Amino acid sequence: MKKSLKRVAASVLALALTAGTLTGCSKSATSSSAAPASTSASSTAQSEQTEPITFPLTEPVELTIAASDLGAASLADNLPVWQEIERRTNVKVNWDVTAAAQYVEVMKLRVSAGGGNLPDIMLLPNGLSLAELGSQGMILPLEDYIETNGDNILAAYEKFPNMRALTSADGHIYSINSMNEAAYFSPYGFIVRKDWLDRVGLDIPTTIEEWEEVMRAFKAQDANGNGNPNDEVPYSAGGTVWYTTYWGNAWGLHMIQSSGWYPDENGQMQYEYLSDNAREWLTWLNKMYSEGLIDPEFMTLGDEAKMFEKVVRDEIGVFTANPSNIPTLLATLQANGVKDAELVAVAPPKGPHAQATEVIGDMAVDGYVVSSSCENPDIAIAFINYLLSDEGAELLNFGIEGETYNKNSDGTYTLTEVVTNDPNGRSPKEVLESYGCWINGPTMKLEAREEALLFSYPDDVRQNILDYTDETRPYATPGLMLPAQTAEESEVVSGVKGELSTYVYEMCGKFVVGTASVETDWQSYLDGAEALGVARLQEVRQAQYDRLMANAE
């Protein structure tokens, strides 16, 4: 059975390391509202079970699930979506919830205390060793249960390249993580003032050379049209050198979601902040900064909010941000008297080594585990499998059909006024949370949900975001997700990672603004990283990556 899961992993090997469109649908829900279940509610020994469990069960079963609570309502209050899920499955969930801000520490203490009073299913905070808890018998290996009762789980794993990271150091799969189909919808990227482009007579840039031409034009001409050719800032970023790493994608670097750790063509893990391509990228950034094309205050802005203040003052021509900010920024610009302002999200630049953009993880880091206290682990996995089905995903993303949403003939979704025009002034997120949607897994976050949430956007902005999503998708690369660290590896990481990251970001900032020279100080920079233990950390990342690849065999 484990080999079957490994074959699933192998099928996504190419996708894990290349940019491309990820499409497909999970299988239909293993449920039937009219037909009786094929198994009883009592747990069947896994070794004896040959047929998948179907819903609704013939007899009710209760499962206790520990999770971080919602913000707008408490899952403990038997919210409408979970009443509907119980009706369709005959599984009643007893929620063991903790406020999101306290959940990690509370659950770490509970797990550390051990004992047989853990919930049936629980969201396990990142940082706890799955293999260690498995070896102690506190949580169950899940691969055999998934083989029998996890058709939707397996379909979801095929769709997302990071699934192989779920296999622990001891070869078992202990967790089921939330999947984020929406990772590829309107990702963080470049936003440009289209009205500025029109004013300087240039088209939307596509290559690094064209971006240079645009930024130089913004600098030299009166791009904002206020009569002062000296008050424009061609490009700004939100607060630290980290935000400029989006340019690094054009040099084939994976600085953002992968934190600079990525395998080369020979399968050797590299810390790309120390690579020749990084040196080229930083040299280019320094050139742009020296020409006055990068905001001289970008290193001290502190966060995006300060950058946005400059945007709405009509000072910034290009910036990196989430396109969801466009409607608010446009409204503020227009309220400030810039009536012709036009902000558009654009595809990532084609550079000397790549055209790509790293997107947020398409799978959550934290996963749900089944404790050894669970009396019905087969039903627990079948229930999670239901939540990841098309039917379960609709409930958890949109709520109750006909009440909070309607499904259109073209497969899209429209939120009702119950969600979009709440009499108490609640946001759509708050309304849907009050129904029990948008929990912290195990779920499939649908791209269709993000599209439905564009209901309040101006038509042209909404269309730009849809077009931007389509244009960006071929270049979207998910961050590399590595398997969990062993206890020994965790000690190395905790002793090296923090100080190394601080040093690297500081030095990269200095290279950009010119207080350190890429030409004369690069070797000193490499030596400093070596002194901080980058080689030891590289050994850990290599071991993790080797385990990742072994899972595909």
Side-chain angles (χ1 to χ4, degrees), residues 309-544:
E309 289 175 8
K310 291 189 169 193
V311 171
V312 300
R313 289 200 302 265
D314 200 21
E315 297 176 5
I316 306 297
V318 182
F319 57 98
T320 38
N322 194 303
S324 63
N325 291 291
I326 289 178
T328 300
L329 294 173
L330 270 180
T332 308
L333 273 165
Q334 291 165 359
N336 290 343
V338 190
K339 301 301 183 182
D340 63 346
E342 186 177 0
L343 289 168
V344 294
V346 297
K350 181 179 180 181
H353 297 286
Q355 183 174 15
T357 185
E358 271 195 290
V359 299
I360 63 173
D362 54 18
M363 188 172 71
V365 175
D366 300 337
Y368 276 79
V369 299
V370 177
S371 75
S372 56
S373 304
C374 181
E375 295 180 358
N376 298 290
D378 48 353
I379 294 177
I381 294 303
F383 184 71
I384 292 175
N385 186 64
Y386 172 81
L387 298 182
L388 286 168
S389 70
D390 292 340
E391 182 177 308
E394 279 190 352
L395 285 163
L396 292 172
N397 280 269
F398 297 104
I400 308 297
E401 187 169 10
E403 186 173 345
T404 58
Y405 77 95
N406 292 305
K407 192 169 183 179
N408 306 314
S409 58
D410 62 357
T412 60
Y413 297 79
T414 300
L415 300 172
T416 68
E417 287 199 357
V418 169
V419 178
T420 63
N421 191 25
D422 179 63
N424 297 314
R426 294 179 300 176
S427 68
K429 177 179 184 292
E430 290 171 327
V431 173
L432 288 169
E433 280 191 352
S434 74
Y435 273 80
C437 302
W438 296 20
I439 66 168
N440 189 8
T443 58
M444 175 77 73
K445 182 180 179 182
L446 297 178
E447 182 171 307
R449 180 180 97 183
E450 301 306 300
E451 182 173 347
L453 288 169
L454 301 179
F455 68 90
S456 65
Y457 287 28
D459 289 344
D460 57 341
V461 175
R462 180 179 181 277
Q463 191 58 52
N464 169 239
I465 287 178
L466 295 176
D467 292 343
Y468 168 69
T469 298
D470 291 339
E471 292 167 1
T472 303
R473 198 184 302 274
Y475 311 115
T477 302
L480 180 66
M481 186 173 179
L482 296 170
Q485 301 156 8
T486 65
E488 293 79 8
E489 289 169 346
S490 294
E491 289 183 9
V492 173
V493 172
S494 63
V496 174
K497 181 181 175 183
E499 193 173 357
L500 176 65
S501 296
T502 298
Y503 168 76
V504 165
Y505 286 147
E506 287 179 351
M507 286 302 300
C508 286
K510 290 179 179 180
F511 286 137
V512 173
V513 302
T515 54
S517 168
V518 175
E519 291 298 322
T520 60
D521 297 322
W522 189 257
Q523 186 58 51
S524 175
Y525 164 60
L526 300 182
D527 293 343
E530 185 67 28
L532 289 172
V534 67
R536 295 169 58 213
L537 189 53
Q538 189 168 10
E539 289 177 2
V540 170
R541 299 302 186 219
Q542 187 66 51
Q544 289 179 280

Side-chain angles (χ1 to χ4, degrees), residues 64-353:
T64 300
I65 302 180
S68 55
D69 211 355
L70 300 171
S74 177
L75 287 164
D77 291 338
N78 196 24
L79 301 176
V81 161
W82 292 93
Q83 294 178 33
E84 181 65 17
I85 289 173
E86 181 180 352
R87 186 186 70 79
R88 298 188 191 191
T89 63
N90 212 9
V91 174
K92 177 176 175 54
V93 175
N94 298 311
W95 287 100
D96 180 351
V97 292
T98 304
Q102 286 82 46
Y103 181 80
V104 171
E105 293 307 316
V106 169
M107 188 51 63
K108 283 183 177 180
L109 288 172
R110 289 181 63 180
V111 172
S112 298
N117 61 345
L118 291 174
D120 299 314
I121 302 170
M122 55 185 172
L123 176 64
L124 195 69
N126 188 35
L128 294 175
S129 171
L130 293 170
E132 184 176 344
L133 295 177
S135 67
Q136 294 171 358
M138 295 180 66
I139 59 176
L140 299 176
L142 303 179
E143 56 268 19
D144 289 342
Y145 295 107
I146 292 172
E147 284 287 344
T148 304
N149 286 302
D151 60 335
N152 296 308
I153 297 170
L154 291 172
Y157 287 173
E158 288 185 8
K159 192 175 180 180
F160 296 96
N162 280 321
M163 58 76 56
R164 287 178 295 121
L166 291 174
T167 303
S168 192
D170 62 1
H172 289 299
I173 292 177
Y174 290 107
S175 70
I176 298 173
N177 296 33
S178 293
M179 307 295 171
N180 186 11
E181 180 186 80
Y184 304 92
F185 186 85
S186 187
Y188 200 102
F190 293 90
I191 299 173
V192 65
R193 283 286 296 271
K194 177 65 167 57
D195 55 309
W196 285 25
L197 285 173
D198 294 341
R199 196 166 283 119
V200 300
L202 293 174
D203 295 326
I204 291 174
T206 58
T207 67
I208 284 292
E209 291 75 19
E210 290 174 357
W211 276 100
E212 290 182 26
E213 181 183 8
V214 162
M215 289 190 286
R216 289 188 178 109
F218 286 175
K219 171 74 173 174
Q221 302 180 41
D222 184 20
N224 62 11
N226 68 352
N228 181 359
N230 301 312
D231 63 350
E232 290 87 356
V233 177
Y235 169 75
S236 189
T240 67
V241 73
W242 184 88
Y243 286 93
T244 67
T245 56
Y246 281 86
W247 292 106
N249 293 154
W251 276 262
L253 302 171
H254 307 81
M255 305 301 212
I256 307 154
Q257 304 302 329
S258 303
S259 300
W261 290 102
Y262 214 75
D264 63 19
E265 63 275 10
N266 298 315
Q268 299 302 301
M269 287 294 287
Q270 303 296 330
Y271 191 39
E272 293 182 336
Y273 277 101
L274 310 181
S275 66
D276 290 341
N277 283 15
R279 185 174 184 173
E280 291 180 24
W281 160 64
L282 289 167
T283 299
W284 182 83
L285 281 178
N286 173 252
K287 180 179 72 170
M288 296 297 100
Y289 185 86
S290 299
E291 292 184 25
L293 306 183
I294 296 177
D295 188 348
E297 298 179 327
F298 88 95
M299 287 286 289
T300 58
L301 288 175
D303 55 31
E304 286 183 327
K306 297 287 181 62
M307 178 189 72
F308 289 152
E309 289 175 8
K310 291 189 169 193
V311 171
V312 300
R313 289 200 302 265
D314 200 21
E315 297 176 5
I316 306 297
V318 182
F319 57 98
T320 38
N322 194 303
S324 63
N325 291 291
I326 289 178
T328 300
L329 294 173
L330 270 180
T332 308
L333 273 165
Q334 291 165 359
N336 290 343
V338 190
K339 301 301 183 182
D340 63 346
E342 186 177 0
L343 289 168
V344 294
V346 297
K350 181 179 180 181
H353 297 286

Side-chain angles (χ1 to χ4, degrees), residues 3-82:
K3 290 182 179 179
S4 296
L5 283 177
K6 289 182 178 179
R7 285 196 294 270
V8 171
S11 72
V12 297
L13 174 59
L15 289 176
L17 300 177
T18 60
T21 303
L22 299 180
T23 59
C25 298
S26 63
K27 299 182 181 179
S28 60
T30 310
S31 67
S32 171
S33 58
S38 63
T39 62
S40 68
S42 60
S43 177
T44 304
Q46 181 64 24
S47 60
E48 299 174 3
Q49 184 190 340
T50 58
E51 296 296 325
I53 291 170
T54 58
F55 295 114
L57 301 174
T58 56
E59 297 291 337
V61 164
E62 295 188 10
L63 291 172
T64 300
I65 302 180
S68 55
D69 211 355
L70 300 171
S74 177
L75 287 164
D77 291 338
N78 196 24
L79 301 176
V81 161
W82 292 93

